[in-house]
Amino acid sequence: QIINQLQSLETESRLSAIVRWAIFWTASRHDQAWYMQHESYRNLCALGLTDEHIFSLEQKETCPEELWPVLLFATKLTVSPQSIDDRDLEQLLEKKTAAETAEIIFTVGMAAFLDRFTEASGLGWSTAASDTSR
């Protein structure tokens, strides 16, 4: 079931690949999930982002304006999910549709799952997907 859900992010998403991978990047940075940081970084680079663009996602002053509300919400949901309230959702819904908002929440949840799964598996930043020696 998890594999189908992950595949649906690629095949049925209303969010762009950059938004999805920026959410994964943000969550993995806060979770200190090294393997998912690497995967997110690699995918954002493949989508044409430079190091400067990727690391600019972490600050309001440098993050693209359309991405900031999404990443701010993703950060709060990752770091302090119990503190999410109606106002957080209202603020996101001012910028995104209800369907996009639901998908953002789903994507953050999948990011949290993968962060924990890859960390528990002992995967790190430099671990190749086919490396079974760890």
Side-chain angles (χ1 to χ4, degrees):
Q1 183 68 354
I2 272 294
I3 299 217
N4 291 338
Q5 291 174 337
L6 286 168
Q7 286 175 333
S8 76
L9 283 175
E10 290 291 321
T11 60
E12 300 173 29
S13 182
R14 290 177 169 87
L15 304 174
S16 73
I18 288 176
V19 170
R20 289 191 318 271
W21 283 109
I23 290 170
F24 277 98
W25 170 256
T26 299
S28 66
R29 296 279 287 172
H30 288 288
D31 284 341
Q32 296 181 356
W34 310 118
Y35 182 81
M36 285 309 298
Q37 279 184 41
H38 177 80
E39 283 302 298
S40 302
Y41 174 83
R42 190 179 60 77
N43 279 282
L44 287 168
C45 287
L47 291 167
L49 274 69
T50 63
D51 280 4
E52 183 179 344
H53 289 120
I54 294 167
F55 287 96
S56 77
L57 299 174
E58 298 175 6
Q59 300 294 323
K60 181 178 183 177
E61 298 77 25
T62 55
C63 183
E65 188 177 331
E66 69 279 1
L67 261 179
W68 184 248
V70 173
L71 300 183
L72 185 63
F73 183 86
T75 297
K76 189 169 185 180
L77 190 53
T78 300
V79 173
S80 184
Q82 71 281 4
S83 70
I84 295 288
D85 59 24
D86 292 345
R87 185 66 194 135
D88 295 306
L89 290 168
E90 289 168 3
Q91 288 174 339
L92 190 56
L93 285 164
E94 289 172 6
K95 304 288 184 183
K96 299 296 178 185
T97 67
E100 290 170 326
T101 298
E103 191 171 333
I104 290 164
I105 294 167
F106 175 74
T107 303
V108 174
M110 293 305 292
F113 166 77
L114 288 172
D115 289 348
R116 282 143 187 83
F117 180 79
T118 58
E119 286 300 297
S121 299
L123 300 175
W125 180 274
S126 62
T127 306
S130 62
D131 185 355
T132 58
S133 64
R134 295 194 169 226

